[in-house]
Coordinates of all heavy atoms in Angstrom, one line a residue:
M1 N -186.8 16.7 -7.2 CA -187.4 15.7 -6.3 C -186.6 14.4 -6.3 O -186.4 13.9 -5.2 CB -188.9 15.5 -6.7 CG -189.6 14.6 -5.7 SD -189.7 15.4 -4.1 CE -190.7 14.3 -3.3
K2 N -186.2 14.0 -7.5 CA -185.4 12.8 -7.6 C -184.1 12.9 -6.8 O -183.6 12.0 -6.2 CB -185.1 12.4 -9.0 CG -186.3 11.8 -9.7 CD -186.0 11.4 -11.1 CE -187.3 11.0 -11.9 NZ -187.0 10.6 -13.2
I3 N -183.5 14.1 -6.9 CA -182.2 14.4 -6.3 C -182.4 14.3 -4.7 O -181.6 13.7 -4.0 CB -181.6 15.7 -6.7 CG1 -181.2 15.6 -8.2 CG2 -180.4 16.1 -5.8 CD1 -180.8 16.9 -8.8
L4 N -183.5 14.9 -4.3 CA -183.8 14.9 -2.8 C -184.0 13.5 -2.3 O -183.4 13.1 -1.3 CB -185.0 15.8 -2.6 CG -185.5 15.8 -1.1 CD1 -184.3 16.4 -0.2 CD2 -186.7 16.6 -0.9
C5 N -184.7 12.7 -3.1 CA -184.9 11.3 -2.7 C -183.6 10.5 -2.6 O -183.4 9.8 -1.7 CB -185.9 10.6 -3.6 SG -187.6 11.2 -3.5
A6 N -182.8 10.7 -3.6 CA -181.5 10.1 -3.7 C -180.6 10.5 -2.5 O -179.9 9.6 -1.9 CB -180.8 10.4 -5.0
L7 N -180.7 11.8 -2.1 CA -179.9 12.3 -1.0 C -180.4 11.6 0.3 O -179.6 11.2 1.1 CB -180.0 13.8 -0.9 CG -179.3 14.4 0.2 CD1 -177.8 14.2 0.1 CD2 -179.5 15.9 0.2
V8 N -181.7 11.6 0.5 CA -182.3 11.0 1.7 C -181.9 9.5 1.8 O -181.5 9.0 2.9 CB -183.8 11.1 1.7 CG1 -184.5 10.3 2.8 CG2 -184.2 12.6 1.9
I9 N -181.9 8.8 0.7 CA -181.5 7.4 0.7 C -180.1 7.2 1.0 O -179.7 6.4 1.8 CB -181.9 6.7 -0.7 CG1 -183.4 6.6 -0.8 CG2 -181.2 5.4 -0.8 CD1 -183.9 6.2 -2.2
A10 N -179.2 8.1 0.4 CA -177.8 8.0 0.7 C -177.5 8.3 2.2 O -176.7 7.6 2.8 CB -177.0 9.0 -0.2
V11 N -178.1 9.3 2.7 CA -177.9 9.6 4.1 C -178.4 8.4 5.0 O -177.7 8.1 6.0 CB -178.6 10.9 4.5 CG1 -178.6 11.1 6.0 CG2 -178.0 12.1 3.8
G12 N -179.5 7.9 4.7 CA -180.0 6.7 5.4 C -179.0 5.5 5.4 O -178.8 4.9 6.4
I13 N -178.5 5.3 4.2 CA -177.5 4.2 4.1 C -176.3 4.5 4.9 O -175.7 3.7 5.6 CB -177.2 4.0 2.6 CG1 -178.4 3.4 1.9 CG2 -176.0 3.1 2.4 CD1 -178.3 3.3 0.4
T14 N -175.8 5.8 4.9 CA -174.6 6.2 5.6 C -174.8 5.9 7.1 O -174.0 5.4 7.8 CB -174.3 7.6 5.4 OG1 -174.0 7.8 4.0 CG2 -173.0 8.1 6.1
F15 N -176.0 6.4 7.7 CA -176.3 6.1 9.1 C -176.3 4.7 9.4 O -175.9 4.2 10.4 CB -177.6 6.8 9.5 CG -177.5 8.3 9.6 CD1 -178.5 9.1 9.1 CD2 -176.4 8.9 10.2 CE1 -178.4 10.5 9.2 CE2 -176.3 10.3 10.3 CZ -177.3 11.1 9.8
S16 N -176.9 3.9 8.5 CA -177.1 2.4 8.7 C -175.7 1.8 8.8 O -175.4 1.0 9.6 CB -177.9 1.8 7.6 OG -178.0 0.4 7.8
V17 N -174.8 2.1 7.8 CA -173.5 1.6 7.8 C -172.7 2.0 9.0 O -172.0 1.2 9.6 CB -172.8 2.0 6.5 CG1 -171.3 1.7 6.5 CG2 -173.4 1.4 5.3
S18 N -172.9 3.3 9.4 CA -172.2 3.8 10.6 C -172.6 3.0 11.8 O -171.8 2.6 12.6 CB -172.5 5.3 10.7 OG -171.8 5.8 11.9
A19 N -173.9 2.8 12.0 CA -174.4 2.0 13.1 C -173.9 0.6 13.1 O -173.5 0.0 14.1 CB -175.9 2.0 13.1
Q20 N -173.8 0.0 11.9 CA -173.3 -1.4 11.8 C -171.8 -1.4 12.1 O -171.3 -2.3 12.8 CB -173.5 -1.9 10.3 CG -174.9 -2.2 10.1 CD -175.2 -2.6 8.6 OE1 -174.3 -2.4 7.8 NE2 -176.4 -3.0 8.3
E21 N -171.1 -0.4 11.6 CA -169.6 -0.3 11.9 C -169.4 -0.1 13.4 O -168.5 -0.7 14.0 CB -169.0 0.8 11.1 CG -168.8 0.5 9.7 CD -167.9 -0.7 9.4 OE1 -166.8 -0.8 10.1 OE2 -168.3 -1.5 8.6
T22 N -170.2 0.7 14.1 CA -170.1 0.9 15.5 C -170.3 -0.4 16.2 O -169.5 -0.7 17.1 CB -171.1 2.0 16.0 OG1 -170.8 3.2 15.3 CG2 -171.0 2.2 17.5
E23 N -171.3 -1.1 15.9 CA -171.6 -2.4 16.5 C -170.4 -3.4 16.3 O -170.0 -4.1 17.2 CB -172.9 -3.0 16.0 CG -173.2 -4.3 16.7 CD -174.6 -4.9 16.2 OE1 -175.2 -4.4 15.3 OE2 -175.0 -5.9 16.8
K24 N -169.9 -3.4 15.1 CA -168.8 -4.3 14.8 C -167.6 -3.9 15.6 O -166.9 -4.8 16.1 CB -168.5 -4.2 13.3 CG -167.6 -5.1 12.7 CD -167.6 -4.8 11.2 CE -166.8 -5.7 10.3 NZ -166.8 -5.3 8.9
T25 N -167.3 -2.6 15.6 CA -166.1 -2.2 16.4 C -166.3 -2.5 17.9 O -165.4 -2.9 18.5 CB -165.9 -0.6 16.2 OG1 -165.7 -0.4 14.8 CG2 -164.7 -0.1 17.0
F26 N -167.5 -2.3 18.4 CA -167.8 -2.6 19.8 C -167.5 -4.1 20.1 O -166.8 -4.4 21.1 CB -169.3 -2.3 20.1 CG -169.7 -2.9 21.4 CD1 -169.4 -2.3 22.6 CD2 -170.4 -4.1 21.5 CE1 -169.7 -2.8 23.9 CE2 -170.8 -4.6 22.7 CZ -170.4 -4.0 23.9
K27 N -168.0 -4.9 19.2 CA -167.8 -6.4 19.5 C -166.3 -6.8 19.4 O -165.9 -7.7 20.1 CB -168.5 -7.2 18.4 CG -170.0 -7.1 18.7 CD -170.8 -7.9 17.6 CE -172.3 -7.9 18.0 NZ -173.1 -8.6 16.9
K28 N -165.5 -6.0 18.6 CA -164.1 -6.4 18.5 C -163.2 -5.7 19.5 O -162.1 -6.1 19.8 CB -163.5 -5.9 17.1 CG -164.1 -6.8 16.0 CD -163.3 -6.5 14.7 CE -163.3 -5.1 14.3 NZ -162.8 -4.8 12.9
T29 N -163.7 -4.6 20.2 CA -162.9 -3.9 21.1 C -163.6 -3.7 22.5 O -163.3 -4.5 23.4 CB -162.6 -2.5 20.5 OG1 -163.8 -1.8 20.3 CG2 -161.8 -2.6 19.2
C30 N -164.5 -2.8 22.6 CA -165.1 -2.5 23.9 C -165.8 -3.7 24.5 O -165.9 -3.9 25.8 CB -166.1 -1.4 23.8 SG -165.5 0.0 22.9
G31 N -166.4 -4.6 23.7 CA -167.1 -5.7 24.1 C -166.4 -6.7 25.0 O -167.0 -7.4 25.8
F32 N -165.1 -6.7 24.9 CA -164.3 -7.6 25.7 C -164.6 -7.4 27.2 O -164.7 -8.3 28.0 CB -162.8 -7.4 25.5 CG -162.3 -8.0 24.2 CD1 -161.9 -7.2 23.2 CD2 -162.3 -9.4 24.0 CE1 -161.5 -7.7 22.0 CE2 -161.8 -9.9 22.8 CZ -161.4 -9.1 21.8
C33 N -164.8 -6.2 27.6 CA -165.0 -5.9 29.0 C -166.5 -5.4 29.2 O -167.1 -5.8 30.3 CB -164.1 -4.8 29.5 SG -162.4 -5.3 29.5
H34 N -167.1 -4.7 28.3 CA -168.4 -4.1 28.5 C -169.5 -5.0 28.2 O -170.7 -4.6 28.5 CB -168.5 -2.8 27.7 CG -167.6 -1.7 28.2 ND1 -168.0 -0.9 29.3 CD2 -166.4 -1.2 27.9 CE1 -167.1 0.0 29.6 NE2 -166.1 -0.2 28.7
L35 N -169.3 -6.2 27.7 CA -170.4 -7.2 27.6 C -170.6 -7.9 28.9 O -171.7 -8.2 29.3 CB -170.1 -8.2 26.5 CG -170.4 -7.7 25.1 CD1 -169.9 -8.7 24.1 CD2 -171.8 -7.4 24.9
S36 N -169.5 -8.2 29.7 CA -169.6 -9.0 30.9 C -169.4 -8.1 32.2 O -169.6 -8.6 33.3 CB -168.6 -10.1 30.9 OG -167.3 -9.6 30.8
G37 N -168.9 -6.9 32.0 CA -168.6 -6.1 33.2 C -167.3 -6.4 33.9 O -167.2 -6.1 35.1
V38 N -166.4 -6.9 33.2 CA -165.0 -7.2 33.7 C -164.5 -6.0 34.4 O -164.5 -4.9 33.9 CB -164.1 -7.7 32.6 CG1 -162.7 -7.8 33.1 CG2 -164.5 -9.0 32.0
A39 N -163.9 -6.2 35.6 CA -163.2 -5.2 36.4 C -164.0 -3.9 36.6 O -163.5 -2.8 36.6 CB -161.9 -4.8 35.7
G40 N -165.3 -4.1 36.7 CA -166.2 -3.0 37.0 C -166.6 -2.1 35.8 O -167.2 -1.1 36.0
A41 N -166.3 -2.6 34.6 CA -166.7 -1.9 33.4 C -168.3 -1.9 33.4 O -168.9 -2.9 33.6 CB -166.2 -2.6 32.2
P42 N -168.9 -0.8 33.1 CA -170.3 -0.8 33.0 C -170.8 -1.6 31.8 O -170.2 -1.4 30.7 CB -170.7 0.7 32.8 CG -169.5 1.4 32.3 CD -168.3 0.6 32.9
K43 N -171.7 -2.5 32.0 CA -172.1 -3.3 30.9 C -172.9 -2.5 29.9 O -173.7 -1.6 30.2 CB -173.1 -4.4 31.4 CG -172.3 -5.5 32.2 CD -173.3 -6.6 32.6 CE -172.7 -7.6 33.5 NZ -173.7 -8.7 33.9
A44 N -172.7 -2.9 28.6 CA -173.5 -2.2 27.6 C -174.9 -2.5 27.8 O -175.3 -3.6 28.1 CB -173.0 -2.8 26.2
G45 N -175.7 -1.5 27.8 CA -177.2 -1.6 27.9 C -177.6 -1.5 29.4 O -178.8 -1.5 29.6
D46 N -176.7 -1.4 30.3 CA -177.1 -1.3 31.7 C -177.4 0.2 32.0 O -176.5 0.9 32.3 CB -176.0 -1.8 32.6 CG -176.3 -1.8 34.1 OD1 -177.3 -1.1 34.5 OD2 -175.6 -2.4 34.9
K47 N -178.7 0.5 31.8 CA -179.0 1.9 31.9 C -178.7 2.6 33.2 O -178.3 3.7 33.3 CB -180.5 2.1 31.5 CG -180.8 1.6 30.1 CD -181.8 2.4 29.4 CE -182.2 1.8 28.1 NZ -181.2 1.9 27.0
A48 N -178.9 1.8 34.3 CA -178.6 2.3 35.6 C -177.1 2.6 35.8 O -176.8 3.6 36.5 CB -179.1 1.3 36.7
A49 N -176.3 1.8 35.2 CA -174.8 2.1 35.3 C -174.4 3.2 34.4 O -173.5 4.0 34.7 CB -174.1 0.8 34.9
W50 N -175.0 3.4 33.2 CA -174.6 4.4 32.3 C -175.2 5.8 32.5 O -174.6 6.8 32.2 CB -175.0 3.9 30.8 CG -173.9 3.0 30.3 CD1 -174.0 1.6 30.2 CD2 -172.6 3.3 29.8 NE1 -172.9 1.1 29.7 CE2 -172.0 2.1 29.5 CE3 -172.0 4.5 29.7 CZ2 -170.7 2.1 29.0 CZ3 -170.7 4.4 29.1 CH2 -170.1 3.2 28.8
E51 N -176.4 5.8 33.2 CA -177.0 7.1 33.4 C -176.1 8.1 34.1 O -176.0 9.2 33.7 CB -178.4 6.9 34.1 CG -179.1 8.2 34.3 CD -180.5 8.0 35.0 OE1 -180.8 6.9 35.3 OE2 -181.1 9.0 35.2
P52 N -175.5 7.8 35.3 CA -174.7 8.8 36.0 C -173.5 9.1 35.2 O -173.0 10.3 35.2 CB -174.3 8.1 37.3 CG -174.6 6.7 37.1 CD -175.7 6.5 36.1
R53 N -173.0 8.2 34.4 CA -171.8 8.5 33.5 C -172.2 9.5 32.4 O -171.4 10.4 32.2 CB -171.2 7.2 33.0 CG -170.6 6.3 34.0 CD -170.2 4.9 33.5 NE -169.4 4.2 34.4 CZ -169.9 3.5 35.4 NH1 -171.2 3.4 35.6 NH2 -169.0 2.8 36.2
M54 N -173.3 9.2 31.8 CA -173.7 10.1 30.7 C -174.0 11.5 31.2 O -173.8 12.5 30.5 CB -175.0 9.5 30.0 CG -174.7 8.2 29.2 SD -173.4 8.3 28.0 CE -174.2 9.2 26.7
K55 N -174.5 11.6 32.4 CA -174.8 12.9 33.0 C -173.5 13.8 33.2 O -173.6 15.0 33.2 CB -175.5 12.8 34.4 CG -176.9 12.4 34.2 CD -177.6 12.4 35.6 CE -179.1 12.0 35.4 NZ -179.8 12.0 36.7
K56 N -172.4 13.1 33.3 CA -171.1 13.8 33.4 C -170.8 14.6 32.1 O -170.0 15.5 32.1 CB -170.0 12.9 33.8 CG -170.1 12.3 35.1 CD -168.9 11.3 35.4 CE -169.1 10.7 36.8 NZ -168.0 9.7 37.0
G57 N -171.3 14.1 31.0 CA -171.1 14.7 29.7 C -170.1 14.0 28.9 O -169.2 13.3 29.4
M58 N -170.2 14.1 27.6 CA -169.3 13.4 26.7 C -167.9 13.8 26.8 O -167.0 12.9 26.8 CB -169.8 13.6 25.2 CG -169.2 12.7 24.2 SD -169.4 10.9 24.5 CE -171.1 10.7 24.1
P59 N -167.6 15.1 27.0 CA -166.1 15.4 27.2 C -165.4 14.6 28.3 O -164.3 14.2 28.2 CB -166.1 16.9 27.5 CG -167.4 17.4 26.8 CD -168.4 16.3 27.0
V60 N -166.1 14.5 29.4 CA -165.6 13.7 30.6 C -165.4 12.2 30.2 O -164.4 11.6 30.5 CB -166.5 13.9 31.8 CG1 -166.0 13.0 33.0 CG2 -166.5 15.3 32.3
L61 N -166.4 11.7 29.5 CA -166.3 10.3 29.1 C -165.2 10.1 28.1 O -164.5 9.1 28.2 CB -167.7 9.8 28.6 CG -168.8 9.8 29.6 CD1 -170.1 9.5 28.9 CD2 -168.6 8.8 30.7
L62 N -165.1 11.0 27.2 CA -164.0 10.9 26.2 C -162.6 11.0 26.9 O -161.7 10.2 26.5 CB -164.1 12.0 25.2 CG -165.3 11.8 24.2 CD1 -165.4 13.1 23.3 CD2 -165.0 10.6 23.3
E63 N -162.5 11.8 27.9 CA -161.2 11.9 28.6 C -160.9 10.6 29.3 O -159.8 10.2 29.3 CB -161.3 13.1 29.6 CG -160.0 13.3 30.4 CD -160.1 14.5 31.4 OE1 -160.9 15.4 31.1 OE2 -159.4 14.4 32.4
S64 N -161.9 10.0 29.9 CA -161.7 8.7 30.5 C -161.2 7.6 29.5 O -160.3 6.8 29.8 CB -163.0 8.2 31.2 OG -163.3 9.0 32.3
V65 N -161.8 7.6 28.3 CA -161.4 6.6 27.3 C -160.0 6.9 26.8 O -159.2 6.0 26.8 CB -162.4 6.6 26.1 CG1 -161.9 5.7 25.0 CG2 -163.8 6.2 26.6
V66 N -159.7 8.1 26.5 CA -158.4 8.5 25.9 C -157.3 8.3 26.9 O -156.2 7.8 26.5 CB -158.4 9.9 25.3 CG1 -157.1 10.4 24.9 CG2 -159.4 10.0 24.2
N67 N -157.5 8.7 28.1 CA -156.5 8.6 29.2 C -156.5 7.2 29.9 O -155.5 6.9 30.6 CB -156.6 9.7 30.2 CG -156.4 11.0 29.5 OD1 -155.6 11.2 28.6 ND2 -157.1 12.0 29.9
G68 N -157.6 6.5 29.8 CA -157.7 5.3 30.6 C -158.3 5.6 31.9 O -158.3 6.7 32.4
K69 N -159.0 4.6 32.5 CA -159.6 4.7 33.8 C -159.7 3.4 34.5 O -160.2 2.4 33.8 CB -161.0 5.4 33.6 CG -161.6 5.6 35.0 CD -162.8 6.5 34.9 CE -163.4 6.7 36.2 NZ -163.9 8.0 36.5
G70 N -159.3 3.3 35.7 CA -159.3 2.0 36.4 C -158.5 1.0 35.6 O -157.4 1.2 35.2
A71 N -159.2 -0.1 35.3 CA -158.5 -1.2 34.6 C -158.5 -1.0 33.1 O -157.8 -1.7 32.4 CB -159.2 -2.6 34.9
M72 N -159.2 0.0 32.6 CA -159.3 0.3 31.2 C -158.0 1.1 30.8 O -157.7 2.1 31.3 CB -160.5 1.1 30.8 CG -160.6 1.4 29.3 SD -162.1 2.3 28.8 CE -161.9 3.8 29.6
P73 N -157.3 0.5 29.8 CA -156.0 1.2 29.4 C -156.4 2.4 28.5 O -157.5 2.5 28.0 CB -155.3 0.1 28.5 CG -156.4 -0.8 28.0 CD -157.5 -0.8 29.1
P74 N -155.4 3.3 28.3 CA -155.7 4.4 27.4 C -156.2 4.0 26.1 O -155.7 3.0 25.5 CB -154.3 5.1 27.3 CG -153.6 4.8 28.6 CD -154.1 3.4 28.9
K75 N -157.2 4.6 25.6 CA -157.9 4.3 24.3 C -158.6 3.0 24.3 O -159.0 2.4 23.3 CB -156.9 4.4 23.1 CG -156.3 5.8 23.0 CD -155.5 5.8 21.7 CE -155.0 7.3 21.5 NZ -154.4 7.4 20.2
G76 N -158.8 2.4 25.5 CA -159.6 1.2 25.6 C -158.8 0.1 24.8 O -157.6 0.0 24.9
M77 N -159.6 -0.6 24.1 CA -159.0 -1.6 23.2 C -159.1 -1.2 21.7 O -158.9 -2.0 20.8 CB -159.8 -3.0 23.3 CG -159.7 -3.5 24.7 SD -158.1 -4.1 25.2 CE -158.0 -5.6 24.3
C78 N -159.3 0.1 21.5 CA -159.5 0.7 20.2 C -158.5 1.7 19.9 O -158.8 2.9 19.8 CB -160.9 1.2 20.0 SG -161.4 1.5 18.3
S79 N -157.3 1.3 19.7 CA -156.2 2.3 19.5 C -156.4 3.0 18.1 O -155.8 4.1 17.9 CB -154.8 1.7 19.6 OG -154.7 0.7 18.6
G80 N -157.1 2.4 17.2 CA -157.3 3.0 15.9 C -158.5 3.9 15.8 O -158.8 4.5 14.8
C81 N -159.2 4.1 16.9 CA -160.5 4.9 16.9 C -160.1 6.4 17.0 O -159.1 6.7 17.6 CB -161.3 4.5 18.1 SG -162.2 2.9 17.9
N82 N -161.0 7.2 16.5 CA -160.9 8.6 16.7 C -162.0 9.1 17.6 O -162.8 8.3 18.1 CB -160.9 9.3 15.3 CG -162.2 9.1 14.6 OD1 -163.3 9.0 15.1 ND2 -162.1 9.0 13.2
T83 N -162.0 10.4 17.8 CA -163.0 11.0 18.8 C -164.4 10.7 18.3 O -165.2 10.3 19.2 CB -162.8 12.5 18.8 OG1 -161.5 12.8 19.3 CG2 -163.8 13.1 19.8
A84 N -164.7 10.8 17.1 CA -166.1 10.4 16.6 C -166.4 9.0 16.9 O -167.5 8.6 17.2 CB -166.2 10.8 15.1
D85 N -165.4 8.1 16.7 CA -165.6 6.7 16.9 C -165.9 6.4 18.4 O -166.9 5.7 18.8 CB -164.4 5.8 16.6 CG -164.1 5.9 15.1 OD1 -165.0 6.0 14.3 OD2 -162.9 5.8 14.8
Y86 N -165.1 7.1 19.3 CA -165.4 6.9 20.7 C -166.7 7.4 21.1 O -167.4 6.8 21.9 CB -164.3 7.6 21.5 CG -162.9 7.0 21.4 CD1 -161.8 7.7 21.1 CD2 -162.8 5.6 21.7 CE1 -160.5 7.1 21.0 CE2 -161.5 5.0 21.6 CZ -160.4 5.8 21.3 OH -159.2 5.2 21.2
K87 N -167.1 8.6 20.6 CA -168.5 9.1 20.9 C -169.6 8.1 20.5 O -170.5 7.8 21.2 CB -168.7 10.4 20.2 CG -168.0 11.6 20.8 CD -168.2 12.9 20.0 CE -167.5 14.0 20.5 NZ -167.7 15.3 19.8
A88 N -169.4 7.5 19.3 CA -170.4 6.6 18.8 C -170.4 5.3 19.7 O -171.5 4.8 20.0 CB -170.1 6.2 17.4
L89 N -169.3 4.9 20.1 CA -169.2 3.7 20.9 C -169.8 3.9 22.3 O -170.5 3.1 22.8 CB -167.7 3.2 21.0 CG -167.2 2.6 19.7 CD1 -165.6 2.6 19.8 CD2 -167.7 1.2 19.5
I90 N -169.5 5.0 22.9 CA -170.1 5.4 24.2 C -171.6 5.4 24.1 O -172.3 4.9 24.9 CB -169.5 6.7 24.7 CG1 -168.0 6.5 25.1 CG2 -170.3 7.2 25.9 CD1 -167.2 7.8 25.3
T91 N -172.1 6.1 23.1 CA -173.5 6.3 22.9 C -174.1 4.9 22.7 O -175.2 4.6 23.2 CB -173.8 7.2 21.7 OG1 -173.2 8.5 22.0 CG2 -175.3 7.4 21.5
Y92 N -173.5 4.1 21.9 CA -174.0 2.7 21.6 C -174.1 1.9 22.9 O -175.1 1.3 23.1 CB -173.0 2.0 20.6 CG -173.3 0.6 20.3 CD1 -174.3 0.2 19.4 CD2 -172.7 -0.4 21.1 CE1 -174.6 -1.1 19.1 CE2 -173.0 -1.8 20.8 CZ -173.9 -2.1 19.8 OH -174.3 -3.4 19.6
M93 N -173.1 1.9 23.7 CA -173.1 1.2 24.9 C -174.2 1.6 25.9 O -174.8 0.8 26.5 CB -171.7 1.2 25.6 CG -170.7 0.4 24.9 SD -169.1 0.2 25.8 CE -168.4 1.8 25.5
A94 N -174.3 2.9 26.0 CA -175.3 3.5 26.9 C -176.7 3.3 26.4 O -177.7 3.2 27.3 CB -175.1 5.0 27.1
A95 N -176.9 3.1 25.1 CA -178.3 3.0 24.6 C -178.8 1.6 24.4 O -179.9 1.4 24.0 CB -178.3 3.8 23.3
Q96 N -177.9 0.6 24.5 CA -178.3 -0.8 24.2 C -179.4 -1.3 25.1 O -179.6 -1.1 26.1 CB -177.1 -1.7 24.3 CG -176.2 -1.6 23.2 CD -176.8 -1.8 21.8 OE1 -177.3 -2.9 21.5 NE2 -176.9 -0.8 21.0

């Protein structure tokens, strides 16, 4: 039982740190455009703007990020991000 409790706590901490890291990365990278909507970027938390994008599916959104779209350069402002980071950032922006 103690091992199970420790595992649950460790997983909870990992998710919490991951969420904090995503927010931190968002503020340093995606936030430059997605906080204010620069050049037509959908604002983080604008559910009406994100809903049709999310319906396209994560693979399509990832392709847009990796290849660039409109004024967004390839990989956005997060050249050090990997696929999991981009998925977390997209989900974060859509859910705010």
Side-chain angles (χ1 to χ4, degrees):
M1 184 66 173
K2 288 181 183 180
I3 293 172
L4 179 59
C5 289
L7 180 61
V8 170
I9 290 169
V11 169
I13 291 170
T14 301
F15 285 138
S16 176
V17 169
S18 179
Q20 289 173 351
E21 285 300 314
T22 299
E23 182 177 8
K24 190 178 187 182
T25 301
F26 168 77
K27 288 178 179 177
K28 291 191 305 187
T29 59
C30 310
F32 286 109
C33 297
H34 289 279
L35 281 173
S36 62
V38 169
K43 290 183 182 180
D46 182 345
K47 301 218 187 284
W50 280 100
E51 184 178 359
R53 289 169 171 85
M54 295 302 285
K55 283 184 179 179
K56 292 178 183 179
M58 191 60 72
V60 172
L61 295 171
L62 288 170
E63 184 178 329
S64 293
V65 173
V66 171
N67 296 325
K69 182 168 179 142
M72 183 176 66
K75 298 188 176 186
M77 300 292 287
C78 194
S79 60
C81 287
N82 60 36
T83 301
D85 296 328
Y86 290 129
K87 286 179 182 179
L89 288 161
I90 291 166
T91 302
Y92 175 84
M93 288 187 283
Q96 286 303 296

